[in-house]
Amino acid sequence: MSVSMNAKTDDLITRFLLGELSDEERTRVEERFLADNEFFEEVLSAEDALMDQYLLGQLSDEHRKRAQALFHSSPGQKREAQFTRDLIASVREAHVESSSTASANSDIGNSARAFSFIPPGLKNFLPHFNATGWLVILLGCLALMSCLLYLYSQKKDWEAQRAAVERSSQEAREKLSEEMLNKAELSRQLEIEKEKRAQAEEKAEELAAQMRARKPDKINRPDTITSIILAPTTLERGGNSKTLTLKAETGRVQLQLELDESQRYSQYNISLTTFDGRRVWSRNSMAPSQIKQGRLNLVLPASLLEYEDYKIELKGLSENGDFVHVADYLFKVRR
């Protein structure tokens, strides 16, 4: 099971490096190697292995093209690929030279054995020393140089990968921040549209109520206005609330709300509800110019008011753009 999972992980990483994943799969892999250091190391190892396969010509045509695009995508990647290609060529050249040296030494040994006056011990020693000694020294130097160059390339590759990861992380954070701002703006626009729609529905409902309240025999008869003055009070049903008595000929009601003129706001929102919470009427964005002599006058159709206890809530627009509670008014309607 572990071998199968490792094979799947290696295949996933290779497809990620070659750009064969979908956007969703690529995003999951990027999130994983940002959070999992061990997985990040596996990605680096897989990239090194892929570069070796690319330079040794062990990839298919399609994968070779994708690998070429990957390793030539930046000057740093291009230099790294060229350096690895030169290193492989140097190792191959050293291997050919060592093979030629061994062949030459073999010829020397054969020539020495052809002359009877060279002592047998010297004939065996000289060729053996030249072939073995110089080959060991050459291979040792090449191995040491390869190790140093490999460590240096690994360091440069790690720095390049870390810089790439940091850039990707920064771009992801900026993209997420931009998406959050767009989402907030869309939410705000949606709230504005909902508020406009609610206002339109309230006005339509008010007009419908007015039309229902009209009777054919009263169309040409002037309406009687009944007025009442309301002072701010506490939300206590039945406590200190005035009673508004409506007669049959009453067509409109004038509500005069007393205000503290020392506390003025640029706009006012007003809502009229029953004490049980049922909304009867509301008005938003009222200008302070409607306040006369410390009173805000409201004129409503008498048909909106039934035999009920009512509450008026007044809010004002503060300097920070929020509507704050100003006062509550209570009254009763009797017929």
Side-chain angles (χ1 to χ4, degrees), residues 283-330:
R283 178 67 55 83
N284 295 331
S285 302
M286 292 186 64
S289 59
Q290 299 188 24
I291 301 176
K292 306 295 183 182
Q293 298 180 353
R295 294 176 182 174
L296 179 61
N297 296 321
L298 306 176
V299 178
L300 306 177
S303 59
L304 292 177
L305 304 177
E306 301 175 353
Y307 191 100
E308 186 62 69
D309 295 350
Y310 293 93
K311 172 184 67 177
I312 297 177
E313 183 180 10
L314 180 65
K315 293 183 179 180
L317 182 63
S318 62
E319 294 180 356
N320 60 6
D322 297 328
F323 280 92
V324 297
H325 181 268
V326 177
D328 293 316
Y329 304 87
L330 305 179

Side-chain angles (χ1 to χ4, degrees), residues 24-179:
E24 181 178 359
E25 291 176 324
R26 184 176 183 87
T27 300
R28 288 202 300 268
V29 172
E30 290 176 350
E31 292 175 350
R32 183 177 175 185
F33 74 67
L34 286 176
D36 188 352
N37 292 332
E38 183 177 351
F39 183 72
F40 181 74
E41 293 293 337
E42 294 179 6
V43 173
L44 296 181
S45 299
E47 186 177 17
D48 291 340
L50 182 63
M51 179 179 289
D52 294 339
Q53 294 175 358
Y54 164 69
L55 295 176
L56 293 173
Q58 298 175 353
L59 298 176
S60 62
D61 292 341
E62 179 66 22
H63 285 178
R64 181 180 58 79
K65 292 179 181 179
R66 290 182 177 271
Q68 184 177 5
L70 170 65
F71 297 128
H72 292 265
S73 60
S74 66
Q77 290 280 18
K78 191 173 182 180
R79 288 195 299 270
E80 179 67 19
Q82 185 62 39
F83 172 77
T84 306
R85 184 183 292 108
D86 294 342
L87 182 59
I88 292 174
S90 298
V91 173
R92 286 177 174 175
E93 183 179 356
H95 178 70
V96 172
E97 289 178 358
S98 63
S99 298
S100 299
T101 303
S103 177
N105 289 333
S106 177
D107 293 338
I108 292 173
N110 294 332
S111 299
R113 285 192 294 272
F115 297 95
S116 60
F117 60 86
I118 298 176
L122 182 60
K123 289 190 295 183
N124 295 329
F125 174 76
L126 183 59
H128 180 74
F129 173 78
N130 289 338
T132 305
W134 288 111
L135 181 59
V136 169
I137 293 173
L138 178 61
L139 292 178
C141 292
L142 288 175
L144 179 60
M145 183 181 298
S146 299
C147 289
L148 292 176
L149 292 177
Y150 176 77
L151 293 176
Y152 179 77
S153 65
Q154 285 293 100
K155 178 183 177 183
K156 300 296 291 183
D157 184 69
W158 168 260
E159 292 176 351
Q161 290 290 338
R162 183 174 62 182
V165 170
E166 290 176 353
R167 288 194 301 269
S168 299
S169 179
Q170 180 64 24
E171 291 174 357
R173 287 193 294 268
E174 292 176 355
K175 184 177 181 180
L176 179 60
S177 177
E178 182 179 356
E179 290 177 353

Side-chain angles (χ1 to χ4, degrees), residues 116-302:
S116 60
F117 60 86
I118 298 176
L122 182 60
K123 289 190 295 183
N124 295 329
F125 174 76
L126 183 59
H128 180 74
F129 173 78
N130 289 338
T132 305
W134 288 111
L135 181 59
V136 169
I137 293 173
L138 178 61
L139 292 178
C141 292
L142 288 175
L144 179 60
M145 183 181 298
S146 299
C147 289
L148 292 176
L149 292 177
Y150 176 77
L151 293 176
Y152 179 77
S153 65
Q154 285 293 100
K155 178 183 177 183
K156 300 296 291 183
D157 184 69
W158 168 260
E159 292 176 351
Q161 290 290 338
R162 183 174 62 182
V165 170
E166 290 176 353
R167 288 194 301 269
S168 299
S169 179
Q170 180 64 24
E171 291 174 357
R173 287 193 294 268
E174 292 176 355
K175 184 177 181 180
L176 179 60
S177 177
E178 182 179 356
E179 290 177 353
M180 292 179 66
L181 290 176
N182 293 336
K183 184 177 180 180
E185 179 64 20
L186 290 175
S187 298
R188 189 180 68 85
Q189 293 293 337
L190 181 60
E191 290 297 329
I192 293 175
E193 292 298 327
K194 287 183 177 179
E195 183 177 353
K196 291 181 179 179
R197 181 178 178 180
Q199 292 177 2
E201 291 176 352
E202 290 172 359
K203 290 181 179 179
E205 187 178 24
E206 179 181 345
L207 292 175
Q210 292 177 2
M211 295 299 295
R212 288 195 299 269
R214 290 178 177 271
K215 294 182 179 180
D217 58 345
K218 295 184 178 180
I219 293 179
N220 297 322
R221 187 171 62 185
D223 294 335
T224 301
I225 298 179
T226 300
S227 180
I228 185 173
I229 300 174
L230 301 176
T233 184
T234 58
L235 292 178
E236 184 177 350
R237 186 166 187 172
N240 299 325
S241 58
K242 292 186 177 181
T243 300
L244 176 65
T245 302
L246 299 181
K247 299 180 180 179
E249 63 273 12
T250 302
R252 290 179 293 172
V253 175
Q254 183 182 35
L255 304 177
Q256 302 182 44
L257 310 181
E258 295 182 348
L259 294 174
D260 184 2
E261 292 189 350
S262 62
Q263 297 180 352
R264 283 233 174 182
Y265 297 87
S266 59
Q267 293 182 13
Y268 291 90
N269 287 352
I270 302 176
S271 63
L272 173 63
T273 62
T274 64
F275 235 91
D276 297 328
R278 180 174 57 86
R279 176 179 290 186
V280 178
W281 177 87
S282 65
R283 178 67 55 83
N284 295 331
S285 302
M286 292 186 64
S289 59
Q290 299 188 24
I291 301 176
K292 306 295 183 182
Q293 298 180 353
R295 294 176 182 174
L296 179 61
N297 296 321
L298 306 176
V299 178
L300 306 177

